[in-house]
Amino acid sequence: MKIQNFKFNEKGLNRFFGPLEAKIMNILWNSSEMSIKDVQQKLEKEKKMSFNTVMTVMNRLVEKDVLTKRSEGRGSLFRPVLTKEEFLCAQSKELTNGLIDEFGQIVVSHMIDSIEEADESLIAKLEQKIKEMKKEK
């Protein structure tokens, strides 16, 4: 699943989704399957929200292959295709691969420079990964 419009100037999930999409995804990641009405009621705790607006956004998330939809009686239940962690892992990998494909060595150099500001556990993990890669060659 590839998110088409990554927004560098945003924060968190808003880098991948519009603001309402991000709120809906967070609601669903923190719950099990939910109906449009259930999601609308959660959103309305913050701000009045039209059922049709929520329905449109949730159906668009299905079209983007981020949510699945299954019929239940006269309605539908929605749930995320991936957990939040799986989604963020997949998107960060896609973004990293895209940057390396396009900018190559420059990106790797910047990543290494930024590791200087990282905690020790990240540096240890990187060292372990490099050792594993050397053994495979």
Side-chain angles (χ1 to χ4, degrees):
M1 149 191 348
K2 182 176 182 177
I3 298 296
Q4 296 299 318
N5 297 316
F6 181 83
K7 299 168 214 115
F8 285 98
N9 295 328
E10 293 290 338
K11 296 274 187 218
L13 290 176
N14 287 347
R15 289 179 185 248
F16 306 103
F17 301 111
L20 183 54
E21 289 177 326
K23 287 177 186 178
I24 289 171
M25 290 305 298
N26 269 324
I27 288 169
L28 288 165
W29 275 321
N30 291 319
S31 306
S32 56
E33 289 183 311
M34 295 180 81
S35 68
I36 295 166
K37 187 72 175 165
D38 294 335
V39 172
Q40 178 200 17
Q41 288 172 346
K42 290 227 180 223
L43 288 167
E44 283 194 332
K45 291 178 181 175
E46 205 177 290
K47 178 183 173 186
K48 183 88 172 135
M49 189 68 53
S50 156
F51 178 87
N52 287 338
T53 299
V54 177
M55 178 179 65
T56 299
V57 172
M58 289 176 71
N59 283 318
R60 284 190 183 145
L61 289 167
V62 170
E63 290 170 11
K64 292 178 180 182
D65 294 324
V66 180
L67 294 181
T68 60
K69 175 181 176 179
R70 74 175 179 87
S71 295
E72 170 99 359
R74 293 179 57 203
S76 297
L77 293 175
F78 295 77
R79 68 178 175 82
V81 171
L82 302 172
T83 66
K84 187 175 184 177
E85 294 74 26
E86 290 168 335
F87 174 82
L88 292 173
C89 183
Q91 294 309 309
S92 63
K93 185 173 185 176
E94 185 76 33
L95 178 62
T96 301
N97 289 339
L99 288 171
I100 290 173
D101 286 347
E102 189 168 344
F103 301 109
Q105 196 172 352
I106 296 169
V107 171
V108 174
S109 178
H110 287 304
M111 288 179 183
I112 291 169
D113 290 345
S114 69
I115 289 174
E116 292 175 1
E117 300 167 17
D119 62 28
E120 289 296 317
S121 65
L122 180 59
I123 294 169
K125 189 174 181 180
L126 178 61
E127 288 173 339
Q128 182 62 37
K129 185 70 173 176
I130 291 169
K131 286 179 187 175
E132 290 170 9
M133 289 172 67
K134 285 182 177 180
K135 283 182 183 177
E136 291 174 6
K137 287 185 177 184

